[in-house]
Amino acid sequence: MCFVPAVVLVALLVACAFLESCLTSEEPMQAQIGQLKQRWGHMDPKRLGSSLPFFLPGLPSRRLQIRRVRIGASTEGLREEKQRTGQQQTREIRGVLLAAQREREGSLTESAEAKETETARAQAETDLGLDPRSYVTRGMERFQKGDIEGSLSDFNLALRLRPPIKPYLWQRGLSLYYAREFQKGAEQFRSDVEVNPSDSEEAVWTFLCEAQVYGFDYARDHMLSVNRDSRDYMRKTLEMFRGTATPAELEQLRRKDDIHDFYGALYLALFYEAKGDPAKSLRYMQQAAGSPYGRRSGDYMWFLSQVHLQRRQLETEESRSL
């Protein structure tokens, strides 16, 4: 009779020791129950666990409190870890967006030029095709009719379609001059001289463009050097712009024949325009426009004399209306 209570007492002590280990151990509950089965296989762990609150009130609730604390700590840790991860991802996303923005800004000019070229090609496919010569021809025709802006548009389109032709587009330089885009005109004529170093007209037109921007004296000091031109009237014209010959010498040369008369009058008119003497410029340009050579030859420069008079007359009327 006394032996049985003693056994029960021993079982209770063992159970208490087991519960104490549960309170301090990190092992899963299922593993601990497995250990109990090994020690007390003849007893049902569930029944043993269910009877403990009757004998030892408070122990299960203490175990539950500890687990709640541990779960709460784990949840808080997960929340902090998630917050740190979110902040890190935000920084990474911002870095990627910033890099993309910088790359886009860095390639903005290149993209604009590519878009412009693509637009030019699309227009060409629906207009005159992809042959730049077609646009040069139409640009010259438009210039001869006084359509400066239209001619410049065609020359620019031809240039976009085939950039290597730039040093040969002297017609574009003339359109730039009358469109008052003098710096671009000077750049065009300077590139022309690089492939045709014996053409005095390219050097003269560079002078004319730069005189409008920087002044007559600057243009003379920075005048391009060219090889000997085979045309005597252009050699004399070049000397006049350089200051080594006088306008009277070129005037004298005009008497030789019609072509000398025309080109002499043309460049005397442009010379006085560069010097800021519109009255003399107008008189000589009218003589060039009325030249028999120009009328019968169809020389592009004769058409230029017509365009010059039209343009200057228009500018004079606009200035009077202000």
Side-chain angles (χ1 to χ4, degrees):
M1 295 292 293
C2 295
F3 178 75
V4 174
V7 172
V8 174
L9 181 60
V10 171
L12 290 173
L13 292 174
V14 171
C16 290
F18 171 73
L19 289 174
E20 183 66 22
S21 67
C22 289
L23 296 175
T24 58
S25 174
E26 296 294 334
E27 297 180 6
M29 179 64 74
Q30 191 63 32
Q32 295 172 359
I33 292 176
Q35 294 177 4
L36 182 62
K37 284 184 177 181
Q38 292 178 358
R39 295 180 182 179
W40 303 93
H42 62 287
M43 298 184 67
D44 186 356
K46 294 182 180 180
R47 290 180 60 190
L48 177 62
S50 63
S51 63
L52 288 178
F54 176 80
F55 293 102
L56 299 173
L59 284 178
S61 61
R62 181 185 175 191
R63 172 66 177 175
L64 183 60
Q65 291 173 358
I66 293 175
R67 289 180 62 84
R68 284 176 178 172
V69 171
R70 289 177 179 173
I71 292 173
S74 300
T75 304
E76 184 65 25
L78 289 173
R79 186 181 296 110
E80 293 177 357
E81 179 64 23
K82 184 177 180 180
Q83 185 177 5
R84 287 194 298 269
T85 302
Q87 292 174 349
Q88 178 65 24
Q89 290 177 346
T90 300
R91 287 193 295 268
E92 292 177 355
I93 291 172
R94 287 177 179 174
V96 171
L97 292 176
L98 182 59
Q101 182 180 1
R102 289 175 177 173
E103 181 179 357
R104 187 170 67 89
E105 291 175 352
S107 61
L108 183 60
T109 302
E110 181 179 354
S111 299
E113 292 177 353
K115 184 177 180 180
E116 186 178 9
T117 301
E118 186 62 28
T119 301
R121 290 185 178 277
Q123 179 181 349
E125 291 175 356
T126 59
D127 200 351
L128 296 180
L130 294 176
D131 187 356
R133 291 174 296 183
S134 300
Y135 294 95
V136 173
T137 299
R138 190 174 70 177
M140 294 175 67
E141 292 172 353
R142 286 178 167 176
F143 180 87
Q144 292 170 7
K145 295 176 182 179
D147 183 4
I148 305 301
E149 288 70 22
S151 70
L152 187 57
S153 176
D154 278 338
F155 295 141
N156 287 339
L157 183 53
L159 182 59
R160 294 188 196 113
L161 291 173
R162 192 171 299 172
I165 69 173
K166 182 178 180 179
Y168 306 96
L169 273 179
W170 53 269
Q171 303 94 330
R172 176 175 178 265
L174 300 177
S175 293
L176 287 167
Y177 180 83
Y178 287 102
R180 305 192 68 81
E181 296 187 36
F182 300 115
Q183 289 181 319
K184 291 183 179 180
E187 179 187 353
Q188 174 67 58
F189 289 120
R190 284 184 176 275
S191 68
D192 296 349
V193 172
E194 293 178 1
V195 298
N196 190 9
S198 298
D199 192 343
S200 299
E201 288 188 271
E202 312 291 359
V204 169
W205 280 98
T206 302
F207 180 108
L208 293 169
C209 288
E210 293 182 346
Q212 295 295 328
V213 180
Y214 306 111
F216 187 92
D217 292 336
Y218 175 94
R220 173 168 282 177
D221 292 340
H222 295 81
M223 194 167 185
L224 291 174
S225 297
V226 293
N227 299 333
R228 187 178 185 276
D229 198 309
S230 60
R231 300 167 294 179
D232 58 348
Y233 56 87
M234 285 311 308
R235 291 199 302 271
K236 188 60 67 175
T237 297
L238 186 63
E239 293 173 3
M240 179 182 68
F241 276 91
R242 283 179 176 167
T244 57
T246 64
E249 293 179 66
L250 183 58
E251 181 72 51
Q252 182 70 24
L253 194 61
R254 289 181 59 192
R255 300 175 183 177
K256 189 172 182 179
D257 56 29
D258 288 348
I259 189 171
H260 286 75
D261 177 59
F262 167 74
Y263 274 97
L266 176 68
Y267 282 108
L268 281 166
L270 294 169
F271 176 80
Y272 283 113
E273 179 170 84
K275 285 185 70 69
D277 190 338
K280 283 186 176 181
S281 176
L282 176 61
R283 184 172 71 251
Y284 279 113
M285 192 62 73
Q286 289 173 339
Q287 294 175 11
S291 167
Y293 163 80
R295 290 182 179 276
R296 68 171 180 269
S297 68
D299 193 321
Y300 194 77
M301 301 305 289
W302 180 78
F303 286 103
L304 181 141
S305 68
Q306 310 298 315
V307 171
H308 183 102
L309 291 174
Q310 295 170 8
R311 205 74 172 182
R312 296 299 177 258
Q313 181 178 358
L314 179 62
E315 292 172 356
T316 301
E317 293 175 353
E318 290 177 349
S319 63
R320 288 175 179 175
S321 64
L322 295 178

